[in-house]
Amino acid sequence: MIATICRKAHFNAAHRLHNPKWSDEKNRAVFGKCNSPNYHGHNFDLEVRIRGEVNPDTGFVMDLAVLGKVIKDEIESRFDHKNLNEDCPEFEGILPSTEYFVKIIYDILKPKLDSGQKLHITLFETQKNAAEYGDW
Ligand code: NI
């Protein structure tokens, strides 16, 4: 039997969306408040979904407590209360948009799964705005 499990997490981080190839005026027009020169914070809500075979010995796809610890150690401790532009080498040379951020989180977590388990990440930047990335 195949099933999907979901673990949620929450962290806060600051960023600034600014494309150095553009004028200040164009950056303000495209990115709005996210172009604010002195950065600004977001309360990120993360949803990590893992799809795979249910182990008949446990009834689990994966122990959610173990998954929670992986997310805490690999994602929350890395990004919580950080300035994504200044503190996080993962964003070197790319814009810290939710779309790129969700792919970065996927790439960090994917090697932690058993082979055959699929991963799908949803990252909410605000209550209304989210990006998703995954292998299904
Ligand atoms: Ni923003």
Side-chain angles (χ1 to χ4, degrees):
M1 173 192 160
I2 301 286
T4 304
I5 57 169
C6 178
R7 177 84 181 191
K8 294 184 180 182
H10 180 83
F11 58 92
N12 308 301
H15 77 165
R16 183 190 189 207
L17 296 180
H18 182 87
N19 187 332
K21 291 187 291 192
W22 295 344
S23 68
D24 288 351
E25 188 179 41
K26 181 166 182 180
N27 271 288
R28 274 194 298 274
V30 172
F31 295 127
K33 281 193 278 190
C34 279
N35 183 243
S36 175
N38 295 325
Y39 306 97
H40 59 278
H42 284 283
N43 301 316
F44 287 99
D45 280 312
L46 176 66
E47 296 176 1
V48 175
R49 287 182 173 77
I50 296 173
R51 185 167 171 78
E53 194 70 43
V54 175
N55 180 338
D57 292 331
T58 59
F60 298 163
V61 173
M62 179 180 178
D63 185 333
L64 279 160
V66 171
L67 177 58
K69 184 170 180 349
V70 170
I71 294 167
K72 195 169 184 55
D73 293 347
E74 299 291 334
I75 306 300
E76 292 171 68
S77 65
R78 193 185 301 238
F79 297 116
D80 189 36
H81 284 72
K82 297 290 174 62
N83 179 322
L84 300 178
N85 301 74
E86 299 292 327
D87 301 333
C88 300
E90 295 83 358
F91 288 95
E92 187 81 47
I94 59 169
L95 288 162
S97 67
T98 316
E99 288 86 336
Y100 282 131
F101 201 179
V102 77
K103 168 71 159 64
I104 286 168
I105 292 170
Y106 172 92
D107 286 340
I108 293 168
L109 292 180
K110 182 67 181 175
K112 306 291 176 186
L113 303 186
D114 290 346
S115 64
Q117 289 180 330
K118 293 182 182 294
L119 177 62
H120 186 101
I121 310 288
T122 307
L123 183 65
F124 284 84
E125 186 184 68
T126 70
Q127 287 188 336
K128 292 180 180 174
N129 299 338
E132 300 187 20
Y133 189 88
D135 45 26
W136 88 84

